[in-house]
């Protein structure tokens, strides 16, 4: 059997010289974007190969084993809790019907708006000895000192697992919900016919089919856990990230910090490898073409109440409690709204995040458009390289960015002194360019995924029609693609803007002298135990973070439900709900 020859690509060999030159320019830009991402990692490896004046031996024998063990237990705990919470709630809102299900469908994503360091500060305030919970316990039982009762210590490894899981489970929820929505009803109907109970059907059929998606969500949550420095610092949990920060700033040994960062990169790439292998071994043919969507269960009585509680607790602990505390504390310091320091920090955050998000989206468009022009393996490799920055913790990026930019600044300053007798100082690091660079490397993958999906929905026939009308690649992008991609570009801008505003590790390490953002204001105030000073900046970050989360909740639900509804054969309506057991 022979297959028809595919149509020629828009950039076939018959393209005129001008078109080929323009295409070559896009390809060069794509490789330049990949080089921008790779440079900090190359710099890090070079720096780590230098001498740490004997400190590496001390770090390897004393700091590294403990940091690796603590990081392992933290990631294990966060991975288990986020998996249980994310998968359970995703199954309930997609496969069951109970009061409030529509609300929880998007509300379970809201904790994503709360950065890990802010929820850590909030729970320290709530659960410490002078906080409202222990005060209520002492008032209720008549205790007068901490020696008369036991209360769990929030500043511990267990406390870190609790607060990180409270805001990171939505990564698992989001991917598991998408997987459950897209599952065909065939295997589930067969299991029901064979007498499987809802619990058995979930554990033996639906869950194994969703393992690849769950693996993706868990790996994202673990990477965010690995990147965290705010929560672990407040809780005194000495992870690898904390050790890098401590070696650089407190021990003043950048080479030792780079060597620890390289050890951390090994953990990151091991995690990525495990995630890819987990997905590769779990592929299922769900024959989506002629299948209808699964029929949900209707829950009543205590089962409905149990589902309501199971979905309420994550939202309550991950968003309602910290947000309520921030609002209450912010009302005590409303005069900060006119404080020049607060306004300057807000303006700095908005300026840096705005510039970085524009650069990120522009680079992501270049990468995706170049791959669309030439579907070569080398270009796909460049796009993958550009997307690995999200897996690299901000602390590691900061170490890799500092040295090359500092050398460039010093070299330029010496040259200008020699030629013109003027000093340029730290032109890149002192202006915040290094910080924007770190944001771009860290979050370009976020915009790349969205824009790649948007380009995938534009028919290649439009490109060929534009070529037929004499348009070159640049005009095709500007006159055809970008107008069609406006909603996607705005969404990518919004999400990367908020991600940049929330980023703490790279901001702490690369910000210019006497330069504060909202994130660093929160961190410094919390380090002084001045929670009321941190409340208003923290609340501002949370409020700004709500917009992309709500947008993400709405678009993801619409997208996956639309795909699921298209699977119905001939537009048939779903069958009646199945009564609960």
């Amino acid at each position: 059997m022979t297959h028809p020859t595919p149509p020629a690509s828009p950039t076939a060999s018959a393209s005129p010289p001008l078109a080929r030159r323009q295409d070559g320019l896009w390809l060069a830009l794509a490789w330049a974007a990949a080089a921008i991402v790779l440079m900090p990692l190359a710099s890090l490896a070079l720096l780590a190969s230098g001498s740490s004046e004997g400190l590496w031996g001390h770090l390897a024998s004393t700091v590294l084993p403990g940091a690796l063990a603590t990081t392992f237990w933290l990631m294990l705990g966060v991975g288990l809790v986020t998996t249980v919470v994310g998968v359970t709630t995703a199954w309930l809102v997609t496969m069951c019907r109970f009061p409030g299900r529509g609300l929880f469908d998007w509300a379970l994503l809201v904790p994503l708006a709360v950065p890990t360091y802010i929820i850590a500060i909030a729970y320290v305030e709530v659960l410490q000895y002078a906080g409202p919970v222990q005060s209520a316990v002492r008032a209720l039982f008549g205790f007068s000192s901490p020696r008369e009762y036991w209360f769990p210590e929030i500043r511990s490894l267990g406390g870190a697992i609790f607060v990180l899981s409270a805001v990171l489970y939505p990564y698992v929820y989001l991917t598991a919900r998408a997987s459950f929505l897209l599952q065909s009803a065939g295997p589930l109907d067969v299991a029901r016919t064979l007498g499987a109970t809802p619990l058995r059907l979930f554990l033996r059929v639906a869950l194994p089919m969703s393992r690849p998606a769950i693996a993706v969500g868990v790996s994202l949550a673990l990477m965010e856990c690995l990147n965290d420095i705010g929560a672990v610092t407040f809780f005194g949990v000495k992870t690898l990230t904390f050790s890098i920060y401590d070696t650089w700033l407190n021990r003043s040994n950048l080479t030792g910090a780079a060597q620890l960062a390289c050890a951390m990169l090994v953990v990151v790439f091991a995690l990525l490898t495990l995630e890819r292998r987990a997905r590769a071994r779990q592929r299922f043919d769900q024959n989506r073409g002629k299948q209808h969507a699964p029929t949900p269960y209707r829950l009543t009585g205590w089962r409905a109440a149990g589902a309501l509680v199971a979905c309420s607790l994550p939202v309550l602990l991950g968003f309602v409690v910290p947000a309520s505390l921030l609002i209450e504390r912010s009302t005590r310091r409303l005069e900060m709204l006119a404080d020049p320091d607060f306004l300057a920090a807000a303006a700095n955050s908005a300026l840096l995040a705005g510039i970085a998000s524009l650069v990120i989206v522009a680079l992501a468009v270049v990468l995706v458009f170049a791959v669309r022009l030439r579907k070569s393996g080398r270009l796909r490799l460049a796009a993958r390289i550009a997307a690995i920055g999200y897996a690299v913790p901000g602390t590691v990026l900061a170490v890799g960015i500092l040295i090359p930019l500092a050398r460039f600044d010093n070299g330029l300053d010496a040259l200008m002194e020699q030629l013109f007798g003027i000093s340029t100082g730290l032109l890149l690091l002192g202006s915040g360019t290094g910080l924007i660079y770190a944001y771009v490397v860290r979050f370009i993958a976020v915009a790349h995924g969205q824009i790649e999906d948007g380009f995938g929905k534009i028919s290649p026939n439009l490109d060929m029609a534009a070529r037929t009308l004499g348009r070159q690649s640049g005009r095709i992008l500007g006159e055809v693609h970008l107008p069609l991609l406006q909603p996607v570009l705005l969404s990518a801008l919004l999400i990367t803007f908020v991600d940049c505003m929330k980023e703490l590790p790279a901001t702490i390490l690369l910000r210019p002298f006497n330069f504060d953002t909202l994130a660093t204001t929160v961190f410094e105030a919390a380090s002084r135990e001045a929670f009321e000073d941190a409340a208003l900046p923290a609340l501002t970050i949370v409020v700004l973070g709500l917009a992309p989360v709500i947008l993400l909740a709405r678009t993801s639900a619409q997208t996956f439900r639309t795909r699921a509804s298209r699977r119905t054969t001939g537009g048939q309506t779903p069958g009646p709900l199945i009564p609960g057991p």
Side-chain angles (χ1 to χ4, degrees), residues 440-479:
V440 170
V441 175
R442 176 107 170 85
F443 296 118
I444 191 171
V446 178
H448 181 272
Q450 287 185 288
I451 293 171
E452 186 178 37
D453 187 53
F455 265 104
K457 294 174 183 173
I458 299 176
S459 170
N461 293 335
L462 291 178
D463 298 40
M464 287 188 279
R467 294 273 186 190
T468 305
L469 295 173
R471 299 294 191 272
Q472 308 302 332
S473 53
R475 294 188 67 180
I476 293 174
L477 177 65
E479 296 177 8

Coordinates of all heavy atoms in Angstrom, one line a residue, residues 440-479:
V440 N 14.1 35.5 32.3 CA 13.9 35.0 30.9 C 14.2 33.5 30.8 O 13.5 32.7 30.3 CB 14.7 35.9 29.9 CG1 14.6 35.2 28.5 CG2 14.1 37.3 29.8
V441 N 15.4 33.2 31.3 CA 15.9 31.8 31.3 C 14.9 30.9 32.1 O 14.6 29.8 31.6 CB 17.3 31.7 31.8 CG1 17.7 30.2 31.8 CG2 18.2 32.5 30.9
R442 N 14.5 31.4 33.2 CA 13.7 30.5 34.1 C 12.3 30.3 33.5 O 11.7 29.2 33.7 CB 13.6 31.2 35.5 CG 12.7 30.5 36.5 CD 13.5 29.8 37.5 NE 12.7 29.4 38.6 CZ 12.0 28.2 38.6 NH1 12.1 27.4 37.5 NH2 11.3 27.9 39.6
F443 N 11.7 31.3 32.9 CA 10.2 31.2 32.6 C 9.9 31.2 31.1 O 8.7 31.2 30.7 CB 9.5 32.4 33.2 CG 9.5 32.4 34.7 CD1 10.2 33.4 35.4 CD2 9.0 31.3 35.4 CE1 10.2 33.4 36.8 CE2 9.1 31.3 36.8 CZ 9.7 32.3 37.5
I444 N 10.9 31.1 30.2 CA 10.6 31.0 28.8 C 9.8 29.8 28.5 O 9.0 29.8 27.5 CB 11.9 31.1 28.0 CG1 11.6 31.4 26.5 CG2 12.8 29.9 28.1 CD1 12.7 31.7 25.6
A445 N 10.0 28.7 29.2 CA 9.3 27.5 28.9 C 7.8 27.6 29.2 O 7.0 27.0 28.5 CB 9.8 26.3 29.8
V446 N 7.4 28.5 30.1 CA 6.0 28.7 30.4 C 5.3 29.3 29.2 O 4.3 28.8 28.7 CB 5.8 29.6 31.6 CG1 4.4 29.9 31.9 CG2 6.5 29.0 32.8
A447 N 5.9 30.4 28.6 CA 5.3 31.0 27.4 C 5.5 30.1 26.2 O 4.6 30.1 25.3 CB 6.0 32.3 27.2
H448 N 6.6 29.4 26.1 CA 6.8 28.5 24.9 C 5.7 27.5 24.8 O 5.2 27.3 23.6 CB 8.2 27.9 25.1 CG 8.6 27.0 23.9 ND1 8.2 25.7 23.8 CD2 9.2 27.3 22.8 CE1 8.7 25.2 22.7 NE2 9.3 26.1 22.0
G449 N 5.3 26.9 25.8 CA 4.3 25.8 25.8 C 3.0 26.4 25.3 O 2.3 25.8 24.4
Q450 N 2.6 27.6 25.8 CA 1.3 28.2 25.4 C 1.3 28.6 23.9 O 0.4 28.3 23.2 CB 1.0 29.4 26.3 CG 0.6 29.0 27.7 CD 0.3 30.3 28.4 OE1 1.1 31.1 28.8 NE2 -1.0 30.5 28.7
I451 N 2.4 29.2 23.5 CA 2.5 29.7 22.2 C 2.6 28.6 21.2 O 2.1 28.6 20.1 CB 3.7 30.7 22.1 CG1 3.4 32.0 22.9 CG2 3.9 31.1 20.6 CD1 4.5 32.9 23.1
E452 N 3.3 27.6 21.5 CA 3.4 26.4 20.7 C 2.0 25.8 20.4 O 1.7 25.4 19.3 CB 4.4 25.4 21.3 CG 4.6 24.2 20.4 CD 5.6 23.2 21.0 OE1 5.5 23.0 22.3 OE2 6.5 22.6 20.3
D453 N 1.3 25.7 21.5 CA -0.1 25.2 21.4 C -0.9 26.1 20.5 O -1.7 25.6 19.7 CB -0.7 25.1 22.8 CG -2.1 24.4 22.7 OD1 -2.1 23.3 22.2 OD2 -3.1 24.9 23.2
G454 N -0.8 27.4 20.6 CA -1.5 28.4 19.8 C -1.1 28.3 18.3 O -2.0 28.2 17.5
F455 N 0.1 28.1 18.0 CA 0.6 28.0 16.6 C 0.0 26.7 16.0 O -0.3 26.6 14.9 CB 2.1 28.0 16.5 CG 2.7 29.3 16.2 CD1 3.3 30.1 17.2 CD2 2.7 29.8 14.9 CE1 3.9 31.3 17.0 CE2 3.2 31.1 14.7 CZ 3.8 31.8 15.7
G456 N -0.1 25.6 16.9 CA -0.6 24.4 16.4 C -2.0 24.4 15.9 O -2.4 23.5 15.1
K457 N -2.7 25.4 16.4 CA -4.2 25.5 16.0 C -4.3 26.3 14.7 O -5.4 26.5 14.2 CB -5.0 26.1 17.1 CG -5.0 25.2 18.3 CD -5.7 25.9 19.5 CE -5.7 25.0 20.7 NZ -6.2 25.7 21.9
I458 N -3.2 26.9 14.2 CA -3.3 27.7 12.9 C -3.0 26.8 11.8 O -1.9 26.2 11.7 CB -2.4 28.9 13.0 CG1 -2.7 29.8 14.1 CG2 -2.4 29.6 11.6 CD1 -1.8 31.0 14.3
S459 N -3.9 26.6 10.8 CA -3.6 25.7 9.7 C -2.4 26.1 8.9 O -2.3 27.3 8.5 CB -4.9 25.7 8.8 OG -4.6 25.0 7.6
P460 N -1.6 25.2 8.5 CA -0.4 25.5 7.6 C -0.9 26.0 6.2 O -0.1 26.6 5.5 CB 0.3 24.1 7.4 CG -0.2 23.3 8.6 CD -1.5 23.8 8.9
N461 N -2.2 25.7 5.9 CA -2.7 26.2 4.6 C -2.6 27.8 4.6 O -2.5 28.4 3.5 CB -4.1 25.8 4.4 CG -4.2 24.2 4.2 OD1 -3.2 23.6 3.8 ND2 -5.3 23.6 4.5
L462 N -2.8 28.4 5.7 CA -2.7 29.9 5.7 C -1.3 30.4 5.4 O -1.2 31.4 4.7 CB -3.1 30.4 7.1 CG -4.6 30.2 7.6 CD1 -4.8 30.7 9.0 CD2 -5.5 30.9 6.6
D463 N -0.3 29.6 5.8 CA 1.1 30.0 5.5 C 1.3 29.9 4.0 O 1.8 30.8 3.3 CB 2.1 29.1 6.2 CG 2.0 29.2 7.7 OD1 0.8 29.3 8.2 OD2 3.0 29.2 8.4
M464 N 0.8 28.8 3.4 CA 1.0 28.6 2.0 C 0.2 29.6 1.2 O 0.7 30.0 0.1 CB 0.6 27.1 1.7 CG 1.6 26.1 2.2 SD 1.2 24.4 1.6 CE 0.0 23.9 2.7
A465 N -1.0 29.9 1.6 CA -1.8 30.9 0.9 C -1.1 32.3 0.9 O -1.0 33.0 -0.1 CB -3.2 31.1 1.5
A466 N -0.5 32.6 2.1 CA 0.3 33.9 2.2 C 1.5 33.9 1.3 O 1.9 34.9 0.7 CB 0.7 34.1 3.6
R467 N 2.2 32.7 1.3 CA 3.4 32.6 0.4 C 2.9 32.8 -1.1 O 3.6 33.4 -1.9 CB 4.0 31.2 0.5 CG 4.6 30.9 1.9 CD 6.0 31.4 1.9 NE 6.6 31.0 3.2 CZ 7.8 31.5 3.6 NH1 8.5 32.3 2.8 NH2 8.3 31.1 4.7
T468 N 1.8 32.2 -1.4 CA 1.3 32.4 -2.8 C 1.1 33.8 -3.2 O 1.2 34.2 -4.3 CB 0.0 31.6 -3.0 OG1 0.2 30.2 -2.6 CG2 -0.5 31.6 -4.4
L469 N 0.7 34.6 -2.2 CA 0.4 36.0 -2.4 C 1.7 36.9 -2.3 O 1.6 38.1 -2.2 CB -0.6 36.5 -1.4 CG -2.0 35.9 -1.5 CD1 -2.9 36.3 -0.4 CD2 -2.6 36.3 -2.9
G470 N 2.8 36.2 -2.1 CA 4.1 37.0 -2.1 C 4.6 37.4 -0.8 O 5.6 38.2 -0.7
R471 N 4.0 37.0 0.3 CA 4.4 37.4 1.6 C 5.7 36.5 2.0 O 5.6 35.3 1.9 CB 3.3 37.2 2.6 CG 2.1 38.0 2.4 CD 2.4 39.5 2.5 NE 1.2 40.3 2.4 CZ 0.6 40.8 1.3 NH1 1.1 40.5 0.2 NH2 -0.5 41.5 1.4
Q472 N 6.7 37.2 2.6 CA 7.8 36.5 3.2 C 7.5 36.1 4.6 O 6.5 36.5 5.2 CB 9.1 37.4 3.1 CG 9.3 37.9 1.7 CD 9.5 36.8 0.7 OE1 9.9 35.7 1.0 NE2 9.1 37.2 -0.6
S473 N 8.5 35.4 5.2 CA 8.2 34.8 6.6 C 7.9 35.9 7.6 O 7.0 35.7 8.5 CB 9.4 34.0 7.0 OG 10.6 34.7 7.0
G474 N 8.6 37.0 7.6 CA 8.3 38.1 8.6 C 6.9 38.7 8.4 O 6.3 38.9 9.4
R475 N 6.5 38.9 7.2 CA 5.1 39.4 7.0 C 4.1 38.4 7.3 O 3.0 38.7 7.8 CB 5.0 40.0 5.6 CG 5.9 41.2 5.4 CD 5.6 41.8 4.0 NE 4.3 42.4 4.0 CZ 3.8 43.1 2.9 NH1 4.5 43.2 1.8 NH2 2.6 43.6 3.0
I476 N 4.4 37.1 7.1 CA 3.4 36.1 7.4 C 3.2 36.1 9.0 O 2.0 36.0 9.5 CB 3.9 34.7 7.0 CG1 3.9 34.7 5.4 CG2 3.0 33.6 7.5 CD1 4.5 33.4 4.9
L477 N 4.3 36.2 9.7 CA 4.2 36.2 11.1 C 3.4 37.5 11.6 O 2.5 37.3 12.5 CB 5.6 36.2 11.8 CG 5.6 36.3 13.3 CD1 5.0 35.1 13.9 CD2 7.1 36.5 13.8
G478 N 3.7 38.6 11.0 CA 3.1 39.9 11.5 C 1.7 40.0 11.1 O 0.9 40.6 11.8
E479 N 1.4 39.6 9.8 CA 0.0 39.9 9.3 C -1.0 38.7 9.4 O -2.2 38.9 9.4 CB 0.2 40.2 7.8 CG 1.0 41.5 7.5 CD 1.2 41.7 6.1 OE1 0.5 41.0 5.2 OE2 1.9 42.6 5.7

